[in-house]
């Protein structure tokens, strides 16, 4: 298990009395809009082989509180600092993208190849027991670190995690050459879903978002000839949005979209997505929305829509994400709008909340 000196995506109060050589500066969330920078003990190598939502709402109140603070962050990259005695695939100094969760490897889900559904998953910044990656040193099993080539900058390697989410969603959708795809949400995951769908052969990819700047970026990111964009009108009912998407994406003659991926979690997008689909189409829910919402069940039944949930990533998703970037099929340059120093982490979350730019990245501690 390697120890990583890291670079994370996702004002200083030091009150610990640990010797300076044995601490790792960390950013902890104590509650809504209450983040503090503290020194924690450096994790040791033993015998073991956005988040904007948490920033605004304080995570799950039962678990994140003034008495149970949580270290933030799960999208991360870093430099290997030290490795366990059994590690042979990594060396100190290696640049890696970090898969921020690791499973038990023993349960039915793990053994069936769906380790993302493991009930004992240890996922970064997942309360109450697992702290996140916004710290100087972070410990993780070696097989959940992915070496990245020199062509990928350390700050860009942060983006492999959301790219892996997109790879998982597109694989679940079984996107095939010549198909027409609609992606709701042009945030990080939505943009990557659109680009990966193109790489899987989609002839048309329509990105839908309420922010015009994001839609414009999506058109260019997906590429001329394939990328389309629709700025959703908040004042329109579902029927109006459906008509605009069908027209803009040249989907009407196709009977609708072959595949819809929702990366927004917005109720209106979920409803619109089902109506945009052709008969027999595939719907994948990649965005985490509220637990209960209105869903057009009758439309889904009459069209015999194949609907799938999507949770994080699974076997091969990170590897494919790294390979797509290595071969220049997904270009990360220009994706990051601004890099914030560790001490300005809260400013990065505020910028993300305001919808500024495309992606904000936070540097790991330099101390």
């Amino acid at each position: 298990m390697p120890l990583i000196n890291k670079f994370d995506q996702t004002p200083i109060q030091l009150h610990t009395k640990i010797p300076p050589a044995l601490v790792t500066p960390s950013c902890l969330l104590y509650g809504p809009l209450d983040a503090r920078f503290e020194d924690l003990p450096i994790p040791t190598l033993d015998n073991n082989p956005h988040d904007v939502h948490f920033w605004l709402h304080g995570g799950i109140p039962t678990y994140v509180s003034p008495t149970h603070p949580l270290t933030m962050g799960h999208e991360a990259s870093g430099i290997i600092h030290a490795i366990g005695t059994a590690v042979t695939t990594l060396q100190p100094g290696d640049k890696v993208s970090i898969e921020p969760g690791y499973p038990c490897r023993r349960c039915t889900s793990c053994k069936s190849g769906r380790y993302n559904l493991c009930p004992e998953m240890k996922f970064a910044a997942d309360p109450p027991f697992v702290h996140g990656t916004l710290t100087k040193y972070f410990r993780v099993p070696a097989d959940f670190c992915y070496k990245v080539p020199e062509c990928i900058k350390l700050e860009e390697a942060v983006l492999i995690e959301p790219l892996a989410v997109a790879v998982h969603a597109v694989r679940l959708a079984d996107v095939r050459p010549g198909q027409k795809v609609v992606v709701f949400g042009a945030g990080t995951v939505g943009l990557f879903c659109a680009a990966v769908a193109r790489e899987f052969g989609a002839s048309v990819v329509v990105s839908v978002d309420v922010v015009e700047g994001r839609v414009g970026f999506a058109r260019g990111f997906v590429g001329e000839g394939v990328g389309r964009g629709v700025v959703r009108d908040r004042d329109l009912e579902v029927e109006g949005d459906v008509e605009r998407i069908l027209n803009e994406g040249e989907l009407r003659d196709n009977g609708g979209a072959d595949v819809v991926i929702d990366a927004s979690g917005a109720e209106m997008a979920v409803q619109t997505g089902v109506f945009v689909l052709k008969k027999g189409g595939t719907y994948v829910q990649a965005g985490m929305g509220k637990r209960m919402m209105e869903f057009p069940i009758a439309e889904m039944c009459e069209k015999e829509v194949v609907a799938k949930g999507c949770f994080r990533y699974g076997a091969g998703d990170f590897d494919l994400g790294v390979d797509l970037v290595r071969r220049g099929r997904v270009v990360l340059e220009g994706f990051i709008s601004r890099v914030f120093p560790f001490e300005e982490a809260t400013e990065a979350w505020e910028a993300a909340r305001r919808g500024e730019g495309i992606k904000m990245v936070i540097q790991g501690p330099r101390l």
Side-chain angles (χ1 to χ4, degrees):
M1 181 177 290
L3 190 64
I4 298 169
N5 183 347
K6 55 153 302 297
F7 196 116
D8 194 285
Q9 169 180 320
T10 354
I12 297 185
Q13 174 183 343
L14 303 179
H15 61 255
T16 56
K17 295 183 179 180
I18 307 167
L22 301 178
V23 300
T24 176
S26 307
C27 181
L28 290 89
L29 183 69
Y30 277 76
L33 300 173
D34 182 10
R36 307 176 195 176
F37 292 77
E38 301 177 3
D39 283 348
L40 299 179
I42 291 179
T44 57
L45 297 175
D46 52 26
N47 295 324
N48 294 327
H50 102 91
D51 274 346
V52 176
H53 171 79
F54 274 16
W55 166 236
L56 289 175
H57 303 293
I60 302 171
T62 305
Y63 298 140
V64 178
S65 69
T67 56
H68 294 87
L70 179 74
T71 305
M72 300 289 282
H74 70 276
E75 299 176 11
S77 61
I79 302 294
I80 299 296
H81 175 73
I83 58 176
T85 56
V87 176
T88 59
T89 57
L90 297 167
Q91 294 294 329
D94 284 346
K95 181 171 60 176
V96 296
S97 176
I98 302 166
E99 183 168 351
Y102 58 95
C104 73
R105 309 172 194 263
R106 300 181 302 274
C107 69
T108 301
S109 293
C110 287
K111 290 185 175 181
S112 67
R114 304 180 74 183
Y115 70 80
N116 58 316
L117 303 181
C118 173
E120 296 183 30
M121 175 69 74
K122 304 294 188 300
F123 198 83
D126 188 9
F129 304 118
V130 185
H131 284 286
T133 57
L134 193 47
T135 181
K136 187 171 183 179
Y137 297 101
F138 184 74
R139 188 180 65 182
V140 67
D143 52 341
F144 286 81
C145 292
Y146 299 83
K147 289 178 66 173
V148 295
E150 287 304 314
C151 63
I152 303 178
K153 298 176 183 178
L154 189 60
E155 59 265 33
E156 292 173 342
V158 167
L159 299 171
I160 300 298
E161 195 271 352
L163 177 56
V165 175
V167 168
H168 191 63
V170 173
R171 292 173 76 180
L172 282 173
D174 193 23
V175 174
R176 299 180 183 183
Q179 288 189 325
K180 301 183 188 304
V181 178
V182 175
V183 178
F184 286 86
T188 307
V189 172
L191 289 167
F192 282 142
C193 283
V196 175
R198 176 203 63 206
E199 288 305 300
F200 274 54
S203 60
V204 171
V205 180
V206 184
S207 295
V208 183
D209 201 283
V210 294
V211 180
E212 186 172 357
R214 290 183 179 272
V215 171
F217 184 89
R219 292 191 189 99
F221 187 63
V222 176
E224 186 176 353
V226 178
R228 309 283 196 277
V230 173
V231 180
R232 192 175 73 76
D233 189 337
R234 297 175 187 268
D235 296 326
L236 283 179
E237 297 296 329
V238 169
E239 293 79 5
D241 267 341
V242 170
E243 289 301 310
R244 295 179 66 228
I245 294 167
L246 291 176
N247 291 333
E248 180 69 23
E250 303 165 11
L251 304 177
R252 199 175 298 281
D253 291 342
N254 192 55
D258 297 287
V259 171
V260 165
I261 300 173
D262 176 59
S264 73
E267 185 169 3
M268 186 68 78
V270 172
Q271 296 169 353
T272 306
V274 175
F275 282 94
V276 164
L277 272 172
K278 66 186 295 186
K279 292 182 177 180
T282 299
Y283 178 92
V284 173
Q285 185 62 45
M288 299 288 282
K290 61 183 181 181
R291 292 281 177 182
M292 300 294 291
M293 63 174 67
E294 292 186 13
F295 191 86
I297 295 295
E299 187 75 9
M300 185 181 77
C301 293
E302 291 168 3
K303 289 184 174 181
E304 201 166 288
V305 166
V306 176
K308 298 182 179 181
C310 176
F311 190 58
R312 294 176 182 159
Y313 20 71
D317 295 331
F318 262 78
D319 291 307
L320 181 53
V322 172
D323 186 63
L324 287 171
V325 177
R326 180 186 61 79
R327 293 188 292 113
R329 303 308 306 172
V330 174
V331 178
L332 301 181
E333 185 176 0
F335 205 92
I336 296 173
S337 303
R338 185 177 172 187
V339 177
F340 289 80
F342 177 72
E343 294 79 9
E344 297 178 12
T346 57
E347 295 179 34
W349 298 327
E350 286 294 335
R353 181 178 66 86
R354 292 190 297 267
E356 297 177 6
I358 301 300
K359 193 63 173 176
M360 306 299 166
V361 172
I362 302 169
Q363 290 180 329
R366 298 298 189 183
L367 300 177

